[in-house]
Amino acid sequence: MGKVKLNDIAEVISGLSYRRYVDDREKAFDVIVQRSIKKDGILDDFEKMKLKEPKSHYFTKKGDILMKMPYPYDVVCTDREGLVVSDRIAIIRLNEGYDPSFVAHLLTNAHVKKQLHELGSTEKIPHTSIKEIKELELAIPDYDIQVKCGDLLNTINEKIAEDLRVVEYDRNLKEGIVNKVWEGLDG
């Protein structure tokens, strides 16, 4: 396929500025906020908020790519539907013929980070805009290659997540041993 601008292969919109929608008398929604999008494509830790019913385009759809607009521009591809996407998060909905998983991985690549750096602000915490995200140039292979690469990269991300869980377990084990020794000496 070649190089294309993101705007040519996707609809790119901003998430909901939810502060105007907060209403304690309304229904509670799971809202994707900045902390919900983690490195290596992890999506969790939603904010539960009571909101007036937002427009449908603010709710996640299967295959949506979500990108934090402040640095470090973390990206996730979601298969969960019905979550509300908050502001300062770009919602990227690809046209037919593009694999969301592959494009999500592509958006975390050093070439894209360099473009974002060149386009972005020069403030202490850099950020980008919807307009700049739309202008990102991506190298897109044929669809079959996109799917194969996307699957492989997802498997690698799953391994990274499992490795991180093991590291966290080991850190907790280490801390527990030191605490036991400490308690034994206080005796």
Side-chain angles (χ1 to χ4, degrees):
M1 284 190 167
K3 289 191 177 181
V4 297
K5 288 196 177 192
L6 186 57
N7 194 47
D8 294 334
I9 66 167
E11 174 189 20
V12 183
I13 60 173
S14 180
L16 172 73
S17 182
Y18 63 85
R19 287 154 200 82
R20 296 182 293 180
Y21 286 78
V22 173
D23 188 337
D24 286 338
R25 300 166 298 183
E26 295 291 335
K27 179 180 171 186
F29 293 93
D30 284 327
V31 179
I32 299 171
V33 293
Q34 291 291 306
R35 72 171 183 273
S36 304
I37 301 174
K38 313 252 187 333
K39 190 175 174 135
D40 298 320
I42 297 170
L43 181 65
D44 65 12
D45 196 16
F46 309 115
E47 186 83 25
K48 190 69 110 174
M49 293 184 202
K50 290 188 174 189
L51 305 171
K52 289 181 251 175
E53 186 81 23
K55 293 181 181 171
S56 63
H57 61 267
Y58 293 119
F59 289 95
T60 56
K61 298 177 181 169
K62 184 178 169 78
D64 277 356
I65 300 169
L66 308 176
M67 179 181 203
K68 284 190 205 178
M69 292 166 63
Y71 183 82
Y73 314 117
D74 293 326
V75 176
V76 67
C77 179
T78 184
D79 57 0
R80 294 200 45 194
E81 296 193 358
L83 302 170
V84 177
V85 181
S86 72
D87 56 351
R88 299 186 330 142
I89 297 173
I91 304 167
I92 302 165
R93 294 195 172 123
L94 296 173
N95 299 339
E96 201 66 33
Y98 298 94
D99 182 60
S101 183
F102 173 76
V103 173
H105 289 290
L106 198 58
L107 289 169
T108 65
N109 182 270
H111 295 287
V112 171
K113 299 281 185 180
K114 181 180 177 198
Q115 289 179 65
L116 288 168
H117 177 73
E118 291 169 355
L119 293 169
S121 68
T122 57
E123 297 176 22
K124 281 190 176 184
I125 300 176
H127 63 277
T128 191
S129 68
I130 293 295
K131 181 180 176 185
E132 292 164 343
I133 293 170
K134 288 178 178 182
E135 292 300 310
L136 291 173
E137 190 173 80
L138 306 175
I140 306 283
D142 291 331
Y143 183 75
D144 291 339
I145 294 171
Q146 292 176 48
V147 172
K148 288 176 185 174
C149 286
D151 289 345
L152 175 61
L153 295 168
N154 286 341
T155 301
I156 292 169
N157 267 359
E158 290 166 11
K159 182 184 180 321
I160 290 169
E162 184 58 34
D163 291 348
L164 290 173
R165 281 190 287 274
V166 170
V167 167
E168 186 62 25
Y169 174 82
D170 289 346
R171 284 184 179 140
N172 291 337
L173 179 61
K174 177 183 159 188
E175 185 70 17
I177 291 168
V178 171
N179 286 340
K180 278 289 188 194
V181 170
W182 192 275
E183 291 167 6
L185 293 176
D186 281 345

